[in-house]
Amino acid sequence: MQRLETQQILSALQALPEWSYEDGALNRSYHFPSFTHAMAFLAGAATVIEKMNHHPDWSNVYNRVEVRLSTHDAGGVTQLDLDLAAHMESLAQRLL
Ligand code: H2B
C-alpha cells in the first residue's frame, strides 16, 4: 500500500467532511448519544477492521470516540485509511 500525497488526501476528504488530515493521519471525533451507542460503534467497526486487517488508533471516554487512522507500515495515509474512514462514517450515521 502506497502512502498518498497531501493533495490526494485533502481531495478525498471532500467526501468525508467530518474528517481532518493532521499530523500524518486522518482524525475524527465522534460524540454519540450514550455510552451504549459508542460501544455499538466500536463493536460494529471492529468487524470491518478485522476483515480489512487494518487497525485504527482509537480511544473512548464515555460517549466519545476519538479515531486516528494511518498505515504504520507505509508511514502515512493510504487508500486503506480512506476506505476504513468511509466504513466508519456509514456505521456511525445510524448511531449518531
Ligand atoms: N493497521 C494499521 N493502521 N497500519 C498498519 O500498518 C497495519 C495495521 N499493519 N494492521 C498490519 C496490521 C500489519 O501489522 C499486518 C502484518 O499486515
Side-chain angles (χ1 to χ4, degrees):
M1 238 332 128
Q2 193 167 344
R3 207 187 131 157
L4 300 173
E5 299 299 328
T6 302
Q7 275 317 313
Q8 295 175 290
I9 296 163
L10 295 179
S11 143
L13 284 189
Q14 285 175 15
L16 296 164
E18 307 285 344
W19 289 76
S20 64
Y21 176 53
E22 281 160 41
D23 306 324
L26 304 182
N27 295 270
R28 166 82 152 110
S29 295
Y30 290 103
H31 184 184
F32 292 100
S34 70
F35 174 73
T36 306
H37 288 79
M39 288 303 105
F41 171 73
L42 295 176
T47 305
V48 175
I49 288 160
E50 275 300 282
K51 274 191 198 136
M52 291 177 73
N53 188 30
H54 193 61
H55 299 83
D57 297 357
W58 60 6
S59 63
N60 157 247
V61 177
Y62 182 42
N63 60 342
R64 291 178 187 272
V65 175
E66 306 285 336
V67 184
R68 184 179 153 83
L69 301 179
S70 72
T71 302
H72 308 138
D73 298 349
V77 170
T78 65
Q79 188 59 46
L80 277 175
D81 299 301
L82 291 166
D83 293 348
L84 182 52
H87 279 300
M88 286 183 162
E89 220 39 36
S90 73
L91 266 170
Q93 289 319 308
R94 294 179 243 144
L95 295 164
L96 287 168

